[in-house]
């Protein structure tokens, strides 16, 4: 197997989905990048920017800029921790939850188009393997 091609396929899938999401999204201040951030916040309400950075493998500068955009759009709130001023909690707003539902619907529609002839068993196998590889790849975060 040509492992370089595997990486190419994964990268191309990601970029194509980002492009398609940007075309489909009609929410103010939401793009394909911060849509993923918003989904993560919506699923894990009350998170820190560091958690987002770590879990989504995104640099902290981009996370900070996109949190500012999402907050200005009314999708999230950022509140300092009462006991530790170094921590800022990020929470989704009701408007953010509504946007999350729209984003999920768009993502589902796009994946339905790509996976239309994929069996549930094959999909489960791919999902499990990607999750395993993702966990193993977290070791690269330690080498920074």
């Amino acid at each position: 197997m040509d492992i370089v091609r595997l990486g190419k396929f994964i990268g191309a899938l990601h970029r194509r989905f980002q492009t398609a999401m940007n075309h489909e999204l009609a929410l103010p201040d939401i793009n394909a990048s911060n849509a993923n951030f918003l989904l993560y916040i919506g699923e894990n309400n009350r998170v820190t920017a560091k958690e987002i950075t770590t879990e989504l493998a995104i640099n902290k500068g981009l996370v900070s800029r996109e949190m500012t955009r999402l907050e200005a759009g009314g999708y999230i709130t950022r509140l300092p921790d009462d006991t530790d001023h170094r921590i800022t909690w990020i929470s989704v707003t009701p408007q953010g939850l509504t946007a999350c539902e729209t984003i999920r619907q768009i993502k589902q529609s796009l994946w339905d188009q790509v996976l239309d002839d994929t069996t549930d068993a094959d999909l489960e196998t791919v999902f499990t393997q990607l999750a395993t590889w993702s966990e193993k790849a977290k070791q690269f975060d330690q080498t920074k």
Side-chain angles (χ1 to χ4, degrees), residues 1-32:
M1 174 193 285
D2 183 352
I3 204 69
V4 173
R5 287 184 64 207
L6 177 63
K8 180 190 94 169
F9 292 143
I10 292 170
L13 261 173
H14 173 71
R15 287 186 299 279
R16 286 186 173 112
F17 268 84
Q18 293 291 89
T19 299
M21 283 293 297
N22 280 329
H23 288 296
E24 295 288 326
L25 282 167
L27 299 166
D29 300 310
I30 300 278
N31 58 40

Side-chain angles (χ1 to χ4, degrees), residues 111-132:
W111 277 111
D112 286 348
Q113 292 173 55
V114 171
L115 300 173
D116 65 340
D117 60 351
T118 305
T119 67
D120 288 344
D122 285 345
L123 187 55
E124 187 63 35
T125 299
V126 170
F127 178 87
T128 301
Q129 196 60 60
L130 285 171
T132 300

Side-chain angles (χ1 to χ4, degrees), residues 5-141:
R5 287 184 64 207
L6 177 63
K8 180 190 94 169
F9 292 143
I10 292 170
L13 261 173
H14 173 71
R15 287 186 299 279
R16 286 186 173 112
F17 268 84
Q18 293 291 89
T19 299
M21 283 293 297
N22 280 329
H23 288 296
E24 295 288 326
L25 282 167
L27 299 166
D29 300 310
I30 300 278
N31 58 40
S33 233
N34 64 23
N36 289 325
F37 301 162
L38 185 58
L39 284 175
Y40 180 78
I41 298 163
E43 292 165 359
N44 300 281
N45 202 14
R46 199 168 147 86
V47 299
T48 65
K50 182 175 175 115
E51 289 174 61
I52 296 168
T53 299
T54 301
E55 284 302 309
L56 300 181
I58 304 292
N59 75 60
K60 61 184 176 180
L62 177 59
V63 170
S64 179
R65 284 189 303 275
E66 295 302 337
M67 291 306 101
T68 298
R69 181 181 292 176
L70 289 172
E71 185 176 38
Y75 300 106
I76 64 165
T77 59
R78 291 189 281 187
L79 297 169
D81 187 90
D82 293 335
T83 59
D84 187 344
H85 68 280
R86 296 169 297 176
I87 298 173
T88 299
W89 294 106
I90 303 168
S91 298
V92 69
T93 64
Q95 178 182 342
L97 286 173
T98 301
C100 284
E101 186 54 37
T102 299
I103 294 163
R104 278 190 203 91
Q105 289 171 357
I106 293 169
K107 283 183 173 281
Q108 185 68 54
S109 173
L110 294 172
W111 277 111
D112 286 348
Q113 292 173 55
V114 171
L115 300 173
D116 65 340
D117 60 351
T118 305
T119 67
D120 288 344
D122 285 345
L123 187 55
E124 187 63 35
T125 299
V126 170
F127 178 87
T128 301
Q129 196 60 60
L130 285 171
T132 300
W133 293 340
S134 182
E135 282 302 309
K136 285 183 175 183
K138 286 182 179 179
Q139 70 182 328
F140 303 139
D141 295 345

